[in-house]
Amino acid sequence: MASSSGPRKVVWFYPGIYFLAPEPEEALCLQLQGLLVVCIGITSWAQANIRSLQSFHMKSSGLPTAHEKSSMRSSTGEQSMTVSTNACSSAFQILYPGGLYEALAESAPVHWAESGLVALQAGTGLPWWLSIVCAGAVLRTGLTLPLAAHQGHVLAKLENLQPEIENLAKHLRYEVSIRGKQLGWSEKVARFHFRKNLGRIVSELYVRDNCHPFKASLLMWIQIPVWVFVSIALRNCSVGAADSEVLAVQEQLSTGGTLWFTDLTVPDSTWILPVSLGLFNLLIVEIFALRKFELSRFQKYATNFIRGLSVLMVPIAATVPSSMALYWLSSSFMGLSHNLLLRSPTFRRLCRIPRTKSDSDTPYRDIVLAFYTKYFLKK
């Protein structure tokens, strides 16, 4: 069965992939990035306070701290306590989320990202702040924009396929109803056979038109890991946690900023970068919400959830090094730009994206008009 919330309908067994269409690229990725920002903020705070947390854990467990251990006189007792304390500390590191974060921070993809950032800055000779902005622009334009265009191609095929799916579903429902009356099926059994056969028919249509919904999620599986690896690489460089080849980057970052954020290794005390990040993310969400057709209840909940994450990202971005906040801001800006670019009829024709009924010849005028109507003509 298909959703009836608007032109872009979704087959019932794919509810989690397209609930944010027609902008799954930014809306869904922004949701996941917001969750990852929360995790990064928590683990960054945890690493800064890990010693005090370990001390608190030992005291609450009745284990001696380092000062208490040094005051012990019995060598046998001291050795026993040392073993117990080390075991507790190891268990704490394994169970605590910071341990997983440290493993990720030392992974090969993060080191590749560190080397790539250093090579970009050395090769261009640009100041570090501009190199970070360029890195975000290059990754979003060279890597994710082609994938976003491919995603738009798949989504357009899916949208154009919906009338055929609805027509087949109507005939299938009639046939199942007749067959159910002949065999005495209950409503539950009839619904099961309807869904089973509809799933088979729709799968055949996806193969025929080469537009399986999973292909549209390819962008997410590439964009999110790249964003995470580069973010952690910048944090490693900013706090001096990188490998031996790029330890000197921390000193360069401390003087590689501009304007009010001259030191990229410390958070932005003015909150200009975090607030700008939040505004760009909210703008992406609002552009998604300004659609001609009514959002479903689930879409409204999801949109409000992403709004909340966008606001939550502001204080978290204010606690991480400015290099990370700057990269997040440049990435969001490029994402917004690409989102608008993919609405252009000329660009869509250039990318050979099939035209759909929901496409507009004046998309930017429609956005401005919808924004004005929603926020300035409210009764």
Side-chain angles (χ1 to χ4, degrees):
M1 297 186 297
S3 168
S4 58
S5 60
R8 299 203 176 210
K9 300 179 181 179
V10 193
V11 178
W12 64 272
F13 47 85
Y14 292 108
I17 297 179
Y18 294 108
F19 69 90
L20 290 174
E23 285 84 26
E25 174 202 358
E26 289 310 317
L28 183 55
C29 289
L30 181 61
Q31 181 182 15
L32 296 178
Q33 286 177 353
L35 294 173
L36 290 169
V37 165
V38 174
C39 296
I40 291 175
I42 293 174
T43 51
S44 297
W45 172 87
Q47 286 189 325
N49 298 273
I50 188 134
R51 293 185 182 276
S52 59
L53 288 170
Q54 283 181 328
S55 176
F56 172 79
H57 178 81
M58 293 175 185
K59 288 181 179 180
S60 63
S61 302
L63 296 173
T65 61
H67 176 73
E68 292 169 342
K69 285 197 301 175
S70 63
S71 63
M72 293 181 179
R73 302 299 181 186
S74 172
S75 59
T76 303
E78 183 175 352
Q79 293 175 357
S80 175
M81 288 296 180
T82 299
V83 172
S84 300
T85 303
N86 290 339
C88 174
S89 178
S90 300
F92 184 87
Q93 289 282 3
I94 293 173
L95 295 175
Y96 196 73
L100 299 177
Y101 177 85
E102 290 177 356
L104 180 61
E106 297 174 359
S107 63
V110 171
H111 289 322
W112 296 338
E114 293 167 3
S115 300
L117 290 168
V118 173
L120 175 64
Q121 194 277 332
T124 59
L126 297 173
W128 263 106
W129 71 270
L130 190 54
S131 296
I132 293 173
V133 172
C134 289
V138 168
L139 287 173
R140 292 303 296 257
T141 303
L143 183 62
T144 62
L145 181 57
L147 292 174
H150 173 70
Q151 183 185 66
H153 193 272
V154 174
L155 291 178
K157 283 187 174 181
L158 286 171
E159 181 178 347
N160 291 334
L161 199 59
Q162 292 310 311
E164 184 176 355
I165 292 177
E166 292 178 0
N167 186 47
L168 291 173
K170 185 186 301 183
H171 289 288
L172 177 63
R173 185 179 289 109
Y174 175 76
E175 293 177 3
V176 169
S177 176
I178 298 299
R179 186 66 173 172
K181 290 180 181 180
Q182 293 176 347
L183 299 179
W185 288 347
S186 64
E187 182 179 352
K188 183 177 180 181
V189 173
R191 186 165 55 248
F192 168 78
H193 285 286
F194 170 76
R195 292 182 175 180
K196 178 181 178 182
N197 285 278
L198 180 61
R200 176 182 54 80
I201 293 172
V202 169
S203 296
E204 292 175 354
L205 293 177
Y206 288 160
V207 172
R208 185 196 71 185
D209 291 359
N210 192 24
C211 61
H212 194 281
F214 182 79
K215 293 183 178 181
S217 66
L218 179 62
L219 172 65
M220 179 185 69
W221 299 113
I222 295 179
Q223 178 181 336
I224 297 296
V226 169
W227 183 87
V228 170
F229 294 147
V230 175
S231 297
I232 297 179
L234 284 170
R235 184 185 180 278
N236 285 351
C237 295
S238 299
V239 302
D243 58 20
S244 58
E245 295 182 359
V246 291
L247 285 176
V249 175
Q250 183 184 16
E251 183 178 351
Q252 298 175 18
L253 287 173
S254 63
T255 58
T258 186
L259 300 176
W260 68 91
F261 55 100
T262 56
D263 188 350
L264 294 174
T265 64
V266 298
D268 180 11
S269 59
T270 66
W271 282 55
I272 295 178
L273 291 178
V275 171
S276 300
L277 172 66
L279 291 176
F280 273 117
N281 288 337
L282 283 174
L283 187 57
I284 292 173
V285 178
E286 293 310 312
I287 288 177
F288 157 74
L290 294 174
R291 300 194 293 179
K292 295 181 180 179
F293 52 91
E294 187 69 20
L295 297 177
S296 67
R297 178 180 299 181
F298 180 76
Q299 289 173 325
K300 290 180 179 178
Y301 288 153
T303 302
N304 290 329
F305 176 68
I306 301 176
R307 286 191 181 111
L309 282 179
S310 299
V311 174
L312 183 61
M313 287 172 69
V314 174
I316 293 178
T319 63
V320 300
S322 297
S323 59
M324 292 178 65
L326 180 62
Y327 170 68
W328 293 348
L329 177 61
S330 64
S331 180
S332 293
F333 174 77
M334 293 305 299
L336 174 62
S337 302
H338 294 166
N339 189 281
L340 294 174
L341 179 62
L342 286 167
R343 289 172 174 260
S344 167
T346 302
F347 185 78
R348 293 177 70 87
R349 286 195 300 269
L350 182 64
C351 296
R352 297 182 179 179
I353 298 176
R355 186 171 178 81
T356 64
K357 291 183 178 180
S358 62
D359 286 345
S360 170
D361 294 328
T362 58
Y364 306 121
R365 187 196 307 173
D366 294 343
I367 292 175
V368 174
L369 181 60
F371 185 86
Y372 180 79
T373 303
K374 181 176 181 180
Y375 295 105
F376 295 99
L377 294 182
K378 284 186 174 181
K379 295 182 180 180

